[in-house]
Amino acid sequence: MKPPPFTYHAPLDLGSALDALAGAGARGKVLAGGQSLIPLMNMRLASPSHVIDINRVPGLDTIEDERGGVRVGALARHSRVERSGPAPLRRALKLVAHPVIRNRGTVVGSLVHADPAAELPAVLAVLGGSVRLASLGGVRDVAAADFFVGPLESDLRAGELAVSAFFPGLPPRSGFAIHELARRHGDYALAGVCAVVTLGDDGRIAAARAACIGVAATPQLVELEGGTPAELARAVQERTDPEGDIHASAAYRRHLVGVLAERAFTDAAREAAQ
């Protein structure tokens, strides 16, 4: 299978990339890792008139500590972030596809692809991160809560390039965990849960957040006050209303959310107590 015809651009700097994107408008797509874009084009599910390959643009492959967290550049590959990124990302990336995919795929590309069954959008959401978008008109930072707007749909506008994503660090006495269930390792999960908990002075969970994977059109974020892992998991389960498909019924997915949420809250609380 081959993609439909398109004009290929290979800019050598950010300004040229933004010029090409501006000229392409809504008919332009950015090529970074290509692990989602190329299959979509080959299957004729995407047919951009212009493909802007940013792999030669310098300065986009960074992983940098910033005040309060870590900023990951648009060309930072999954495999590199898995080795040297922050702990929540390292754990999530072990669940993403297979090593050959992670060697080419990019963290920011996965966020822009906005697949609700993917792990990284949920990680960005539960950590309260953001995506930085650049265009000829300037730069804007979009919070995760506003960035994911639907299945395979983000707030990225025509002419914009996602140049980085910011993942905040965890507050003191906090922990992170991610659990999912897939039919085979590397497949998209039937359901998954990322969790962050913060312990109070008494050692109990004082606040918790969960982002559910594969149960809604976007990563479903649930913010909760204190409770036991079982209580918090029931609250998350009650707020989800997944759809069924050929892989799993709605009732089974909802059951999975409860089981996986309890595991995630338990592990996150254990980490916070260390």
Side-chain angles (χ1 to χ4, degrees), residues 5 41 58 67 73 81-82 88 124 145 153 189 205 208 213 262:
M41 292 173 62
R67 183 176 181 180
V81 180
E82 184 183 352
L124 189 77
E153 185 180 4
I205 297 175
I213 301 166
E262 184 170 359

Side-chain angles (χ1 to χ4, degrees), residues 33-55:
Q35 301 306 293
S36 299
L37 177 62
I38 298 302
L40 288 174
M41 292 173 62
N42 286 345
M43 291 185 288
R44 305 298 176 103
L45 297 175
S47 53
S49 298
H50 298 264
V51 172
I52 296 90
D53 184 346
I54 62 170
N55 281 278

Side-chain angles (χ1 to χ4, degrees), residues 100-116:
V100 67
I101 300 295
R102 298 199 293 270
N103 284 339
R104 287 299 302 170
T106 63
V107 168
V108 174
S110 180
L111 298 175
V112 172
H113 188 54
D115 192 325

Side-chain angles (χ1 to χ4, degrees), residues 101-262:
I101 300 295
R102 298 199 293 270
N103 284 339
R104 287 299 302 170
T106 63
V107 168
V108 174
S110 180
L111 298 175
V112 172
H113 188 54
D115 192 325
E119 294 85 359
L120 296 182
V123 173
L124 189 77
V126 80
L127 293 178
S130 61
V131 179
R132 178 163 293 173
L133 307 174
S135 69
L136 293 180
V139 176
R140 65 188 182 108
D141 290 316
V142 182
D146 301 316
F147 185 71
F148 304 109
V149 298
L152 307 183
E153 185 180 4
S154 72
D155 190 47
L156 184 75
R157 300 169 186 168
E160 286 186 325
L161 172 64
V163 292
S164 66
F166 180 70
F167 293 86
L170 297 176
R173 295 181 59 77
S174 296
F176 169 91
I178 178 170
H179 281 275
E180 66 178 31
L181 181 69
R183 295 179 65 187
R184 296 172 300 184
H185 177 72
D187 284 0
Y188 281 114
L190 298 177
V193 177
C194 299
V196 171
V197 305
T198 300
L199 303 183
D201 293 337
D202 59 0
R204 298 179 180 179
I205 297 175
R209 297 193 305 277
C212 298
I213 301 166
V215 299
T218 61
Q220 185 166 358
L221 184 65
V222 180
E223 300 197 47
L224 302 162
E225 295 182 356
T228 67
E231 292 168 342
L232 295 170
R234 283 195 296 272
V236 172
Q237 187 180 47
E238 289 169 358
R239 299 188 194 187
T240 59
D241 186 23
E243 295 184 357
D245 54 29
I246 62 173
H247 303 292
S249 68
Y252 180 58
R253 275 205 171 90
R254 195 162 181 267
H255 169 72
L256 279 181
V257 167
V259 172
L260 297 171
E262 184 170 359

